[in-house]
Amino acid sequence: MRYIKLGRTGLDVSPVAIGAMTYGEPDRGHPVWSLDEESSRPLVKQALEAGINFFDTANMYSYGSSEEILGRALAEYANRDDVVITTKVRHPMRPGSPNSSGLSRKAIMTEIDNSLRRLGTDYVDVYMIHRLDPATPLEETLEALNDVVKAGKARYLGASSMHAWQFAKALHLQERHGWARFVTMQDHYNLLAREEEREMLPLCADEGVATMVWSPLARGRLARPFDQAATGTRAATYGAYADLLYRANADSDRQIIGALGTIAEQRGVSRAQIALAWLRRNPVVAAPLVGARTAQQIDDAVASLDIDLTDEEARRLEAPYTPRHDFQGVSDEREMERIKASIPGYANL
């Protein structure tokens, strides 16, 4: 495994991260896709044996069960100081408790301690805000996060999915007040969703912020032929939500996925390996978050690190792309919420 620095920090991470949203007791929030502890642990062990040292979770994933499973597996299979753990805060954790969500000082100070307890560790390497909280002044959130770092409960800070101007404002406030800065941005980026190339990725490159890419395979669309339906309960659950993100660009997506399949066939590798190798061409991308449910998915992620696409191959993958809504720019928020609410186990995403 070849390790890289996370942005402008001195932290060494594998250029592939395991996204642990997949792991969690099914009766703790996400029954249709969560792998229980018995099924999750071998995958964590396999990732470690492959040299992956980067693991991402969140307090909301299966209402803390993901953190618990990941924490116990890492404690058994790894030395704590040899792995990099990130977790996130923002979404509701206790139904009926108004201060169990959001980014108030109270919520942050409570939830970091809860996350550390579930993970079984004294600190996390990167503590991230899962989304912005419009009901809390940004200064309150950023000062509280700074205090988390100063208390030794987190080594670094990160953010996820927001508009570039919002992230720029947060970075400015952190610099102005001398607070710990965000060193990572976890955003939505793949061959079928490249709108972050307009503003967010250039901003991150200029500020030395590394990106951790969620949905690097576009909910699995980049891992199979365009007309091949997803199978399995997790895929079916994701299907309606994925349609909201990608439905308006079928003609373009068909061409991109077709080119992806051709290049994969020519190289004798999987489609997933080519899609992940394309992400690595962008120097601001530190690591895709791979929500591995199978050993093969981890093997594909690691194998992608040995693939260097040519400029001509990249051009073939990129040329059919057409502008589209990004995650933050979905035109009908009510429709998004309606679709989420209709999907079992997706109510809290």
Side-chain angles (χ1 to χ4, degrees):
M1 180 64 65
R2 297 166 293 179
Y3 298 94
I4 61 172
K5 297 296 183 185
L6 187 64
R8 290 182 187 161
T9 76
L11 184 63
D12 290 311
V13 298
S14 55
V16 170
I18 296 298
M21 186 176 77
T22 303
Y23 312 141
E25 295 300 338
D27 62 352
R28 293 269 295 275
H30 302 308
V32 292
W33 72 68
S34 294
L35 291 179
D36 63 19
E37 186 159 4
E38 182 179 359
S39 300
S40 301
R41 289 170 65 86
L43 297 173
V44 175
K45 183 178 181 181
Q46 179 189 349
L48 289 165
E49 291 173 345
I52 295 173
N53 74 339
F54 206 1
F55 296 85
D56 174 82
T57 185
N59 63 348
M60 65 158 289
Y61 295 160
S62 295
Y63 286 105
S65 178
S66 172
E67 291 179 323
E68 292 168 354
I69 290 173
L70 180 64
R72 286 192 289 263
L74 292 178
E76 179 172 348
Y77 300 134
N79 182 309
R80 171 64 186 92
D81 292 330
D82 291 337
V83 294
V84 175
I85 302 173
T86 79
T87 194
K88 298 182 282 293
V89 60
R90 163 65 170 86
H91 295 291
M93 289 300 294
R94 296 175 299 283
S97 176
N99 287 307
S100 74
S101 65
L103 297 175
S104 69
R105 183 177 188 85
K106 179 176 178 64
I108 289 172
M109 292 304 181
T110 297
E111 294 308 322
I112 182 60
D113 287 343
N114 288 339
S115 286
L116 295 179
R117 173 179 49 79
R118 288 188 291 262
L119 286 163
T121 182
D122 295 331
Y123 70 96
V124 291
D125 295 280
V126 184
Y127 197 45
M128 309 181 70
I129 57 172
H130 213 153
R131 296 290 187 270
L132 285 176
D133 174 11
T136 300
L138 186 54
E139 290 85 350
E140 176 180 342
T141 296
L142 299 178
E143 185 175 18
L145 291 172
N146 178 70
D147 289 344
V148 168
V149 173
K150 296 306 180 185
K153 297 178 181 181
R155 301 296 191 245
Y156 303 94
L157 299 175
S160 179
S161 291
M162 62 185 69
H163 294 293
W165 71 264
Q166 294 169 322
F167 193 46
K169 179 180 178 180
L171 292 171
H172 168 72
L173 287 170
Q174 289 170 326
E175 182 175 3
R176 175 182 173 187
H177 292 281
W179 293 331
R181 280 169 55 91
F182 292 127
V183 303
T184 64
M185 164 54 64
Q186 193 170 117
D187 59 349
H188 182 211
Y189 184 52
N190 57 56
L191 274 166
L192 304 185
R194 292 170 47 199
E195 299 311 294
E196 295 285 73
E197 292 175 0
R198 298 188 187 195
E199 296 185 1
M200 181 60 82
L201 295 188
L203 171 63
C204 289
D206 186 61
E207 294 286 346
V209 173
T211 66
M212 300 164 61
V213 175
W214 61 263
S215 196
L217 298 180
R219 304 293 201 283
R221 290 181 174 223
L222 294 171
R224 61 181 184 270
F226 182 84
D227 292 318
Q228 179 178 311
T231 59
T233 54
R234 180 176 188 265
T237 298
Y238 265 59
Y241 192 61
D243 285 346
L244 180 61
L245 295 179
Y246 300 109
R247 65 186 176 184
N249 305 94
D251 291 341
S252 172
D253 288 356
R254 183 187 297 273
Q255 295 178 57
I256 295 168
I257 292 171
L260 178 67
T262 298
I263 293 171
E265 184 177 359
Q266 291 170 343
R267 283 182 170 259
V269 300
S270 71
R271 293 167 180 262
Q273 290 180 42
I274 297 299
L276 295 174
W278 176 82
L279 285 170
R280 210 177 70 254
R281 286 175 58 89
N282 192 323
V284 78
V285 175
L289 296 172
V290 179
R293 289 176 56 84
T294 67
Q296 183 59 53
Q297 289 170 333
I298 294 177
D299 289 341
D300 278 342
V302 174
S304 74
L305 300 176
D306 293 324
I307 298 174
D308 292 317
L309 297 178
T310 67
D311 291 343
E312 191 275 334
E313 287 173 327
R315 184 197 63 76
R316 287 160 59 191
L317 292 170
E318 295 168 4
Y321 187 80
T322 56
R324 58 203 64 195
H325 290 301
D326 64 4
F327 180 80
Q328 294 294 327
V330 173
S331 60
D332 192 340
E333 294 292 337
R334 289 175 298 179
E335 182 176 7
M336 174 188 288
E337 295 306 316
R338 179 185 60 78
I339 291 177
K340 283 186 186 180
S342 71
I343 302 172
Y346 219 118
N348 295 304
L349 289 186

